């Protein structure tokens, strides 16, 4: 073995090796002989592994991840919290030199990039504000601090707050608190830049900020959660007293995470507001639950053109008589077009007809006034509809029907015969003057009148998907419904038309059935007319 050069550290260094540039290399390097014993180290390795001595086994002086590594491929691990990748250099006499290249910074950046990627995926997986606050608090407590508190802007004089301790589950609360109790929190909730953590005294943290059982707070970070033009809230990070305070780089990284979390929370809040507005408007556009009318059965059914839509251009309404002996007005209509735009005009038409109820005895005048209202608007769409004035007449039901450019209603008699009501008229919202022809009909007990939109008869299906359901097929279906209650007739017609269309594109479908109940007299109270709404 060559002579050795004694070093102050007590670690022997080969003179041949020491003569090389490796001795003062900034990266630690060690040499193991053919038997796996430590032969020599350079200066950087001597500082990194102060207990290393010549002749020691690799297991005694090297970290386990390196001592157990083969000499064919690099190995990675940590020494005193620092991350290294060891690269082997094999010599012809069986010796191996290991060069340890520190990649702590690179590893940290990779971990942070992976964390931000995970956080973005988790935050964008839901448009629920409460869930976004949970994810923000949980990820912050797991990766950035020992506990995290997410605070939203004030709602009804209270601040929604989500708290999470590392390893725990998020907890929600709404507190009546003063943000000024925490320096920098008021500013963060308004979107101002954060206050450096070294300026915050953790001893003055209010009780509502510190999770129960957390212990003594050692350091605090308060950072805003920036939204889309409007602050989404604030994020407060807490660390135990035993741990090192937040470093500047950690605060900067917390701000990067807060930017993603704030954007997700702002999007969730905006979605919640839009959903609330949509739901409020939608309630006025949805087909109604039909009222209970003495001695007459009503049933309706509706299916939008798209299964993802809840409303469309078809509608029906039943307006009970205001006084005994007067007629109930039933309406079924079809606005040109599909989707939300058609639904908006549908709402206008329904509201206008509701305002014209005092004129319900004169169908033509009612339709003329509706026509004028649509012509005076900026909307270029038109509407077809059928008006049906309904009154109990002895054991039967008396009908007066007027069509305005709409398919005429069909009557199904007790013996299964199907008759078309001879009514016709001009579509509404196109010409300055309209024409209409009214017709009267009578329903005996067990007989029904079907009002339907063209989405029923124009639904395409069949073996090739190109054959329309058609009026002839609708008549056969109705003939099989003789004697059925109104709800059963509506359900069967709509079910068969929907099955015929299957997954093929189709228009909105709506039906309204008026039935004279069996076994009831003038003074009897009729069954409950119920509306069905399907998507």
């Amino acid at each position: 073995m060559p002579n050795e050069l004694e070093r102050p550290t007590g670690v022997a260094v080969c003179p041949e090796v020491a003569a090389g540039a490796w001795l003062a290399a900034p990266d630690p390097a060690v040499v193991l002989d053919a038997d796996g014993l430590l032969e020599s180290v350079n200066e950087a390795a001597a500082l990194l592994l102060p207990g290393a001595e010549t002749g020691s086994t690799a297991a005694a002086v090297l970290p386990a991840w390196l001592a157990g590594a083969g000499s064919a491929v690099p190995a990675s691990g940590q020494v005193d919290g620092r991350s290294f990748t060891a690269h082997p250099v094999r010599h012809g006499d069986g010796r191996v030199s290991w060069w340890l290249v520190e990649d702590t910074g690179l590893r940290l950046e990779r971990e942070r990039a992976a964390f931000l990627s995970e956080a973005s995926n988790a935050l964008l997986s839901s448009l629920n504000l409460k869930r976004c606050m949970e994810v923000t608090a949980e990820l912050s407590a797991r990766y950035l601090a020992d506990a995290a508190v997410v605070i939203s802007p004030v709602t009804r004089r209270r601040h929604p707050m989500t708290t999470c301790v590392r390893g725990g589950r998020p907890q929600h609360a709404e507190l009546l608190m003063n943000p000024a109790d925490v320096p920098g929190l008021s500013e963060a909730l308004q979107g101002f830049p954060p206050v450096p953590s070294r300026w915050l005294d953790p001893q003055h943290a209010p009780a509502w900020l510190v999770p129960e059982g957390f212990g003594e707070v050692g350091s605090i970070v308060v950072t805003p959660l920036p939204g889309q033009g409007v602050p989404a809230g604030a994020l407060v990070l807490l660390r135990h007293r035993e741990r090192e305070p937040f470093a500047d780089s950690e605060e900067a990284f917390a701000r990067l995470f807060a930017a993603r979390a704030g954007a997700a929370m702002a999007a969730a809040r905006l979605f919640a507001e839009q959903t609330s507005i949509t739901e409020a408007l939608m309630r006025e556009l949805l087909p109604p639950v039909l009222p209970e009318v003495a001695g007459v059965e009503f049933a309706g059914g509706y299916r939008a053109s798209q299964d993802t839509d809840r409303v469309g251009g078809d509608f029906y309404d039943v307006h009970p008589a205001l006084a005994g002996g007067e007629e109930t007005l039933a309406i079924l209509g079809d606005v040109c077009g599909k989707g939300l735009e058609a639904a908006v005009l549908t709402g206008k038409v329904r509201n206008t007809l509701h305002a014209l109820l005092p004129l319900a005895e004169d169908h033509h005048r009612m339709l003329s006034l509706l026509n004028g209202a649509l012509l005076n608007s900026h909307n270029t769409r038109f509407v077809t509809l059928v008006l049906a004035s309904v009154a109990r007449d002895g054991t039967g039901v008396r009908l007066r029907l007027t069509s305005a450019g709409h398919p005429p209603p069909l009557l199904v008699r007790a013996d299964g015969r199907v008759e078309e009501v001879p009514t016709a008229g001009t579509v509404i919202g196109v010409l300055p003057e309209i024409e209409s022809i009214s017709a009267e009909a009578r329903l005996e007990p067990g007989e029904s009148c079907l009002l339907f939109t063209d989405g029923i008869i124009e639904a395409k299906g069949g073996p090739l998907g190109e054959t329309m359901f058609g009026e002839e097929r609708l008549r056969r279906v109705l003939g099989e419904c003789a004697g059925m209650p109104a709800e059963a007739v509506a359900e069967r017609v709509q079910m068969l038309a929907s099955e015929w269309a299957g997954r093929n594109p189709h228009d909105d479908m709506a039906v309204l059935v008026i039935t004279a109940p069996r076994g009831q007299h003038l003074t009897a109270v009729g069954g409950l007319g119920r509306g069905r709404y399907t998507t």
Side-chain angles (χ1 to χ4, degrees), residues 125-280:
S125 64
S126 173
L127 283 175
N128 180 281
L129 178 58
K130 184 176 179 181
R131 178 57 184 158
C132 283
M133 294 177 66
E134 287 181 354
V135 171
T136 301
E138 189 173 7
L139 291 177
S140 299
R142 187 191 312 170
Y143 291 103
L144 306 178
D146 296 318
V149 182
V150 180
I151 304 172
S152 288
V154 64
T155 303
R156 298 186 298 274
R157 301 179 62 185
R158 294 179 179 270
H159 285 276
M161 187 171 73
T162 301
T163 304
C164 187
V165 179
R166 178 175 294 185
R169 297 182 62 83
Q171 303 294 325
H172 296 279
E174 289 192 2
L175 296 183
L176 185 62
M177 54 83 170
N178 183 9
D181 292 343
V182 181
L185 181 56
S186 296
E187 292 79 4
L189 287 171
Q190 298 176 55
F192 291 108
V195 176
S197 63
R198 61 181 178 275
W199 293 4
L200 305 179
D201 185 359
Q203 302 301 319
H204 292 87
W208 57 263
L209 184 65
V210 182
E212 184 178 355
F214 181 77
E216 191 172 359
V217 180
S219 54
I220 299 177
V221 167
V222 178
T223 186
L225 293 167
Q228 299 170 349
V230 179
L235 173 64
V236 182
L237 304 177
L238 307 174
R239 270 189 181 169
H240 291 297
R241 187 174 182 81
E242 306 82 54
R243 295 189 60 190
E244 290 291 328
F246 291 97
D248 291 343
S249 61
E250 291 177 312
E251 293 186 42
F253 181 67
R255 291 194 292 272
L256 287 177
F257 168 71
R260 287 165 169 76
M265 288 175 56
R269 180 176 284 109
L270 178 62
F271 179 77
E273 292 174 354
Q274 292 178 338
T275 300
S276 177
I277 294 172
T278 301
E279 288 292 337

Side-chain angles (χ1 to χ4, degrees), residues 61-101:
V61 296
L62 300 181
W65 60 269
L66 180 55
S71 60
V73 294
S76 299
Q78 292 189 359
V79 180
D80 292 336
R82 299 162 61 187
S83 179
F84 291 89
T85 297
H87 300 271
V89 177
R90 301 170 63 183
H91 305 283
D93 56 1
R95 293 182 304 160
V96 179
S97 297
W98 286 97
W99 288 85
L100 282 71
V101 180

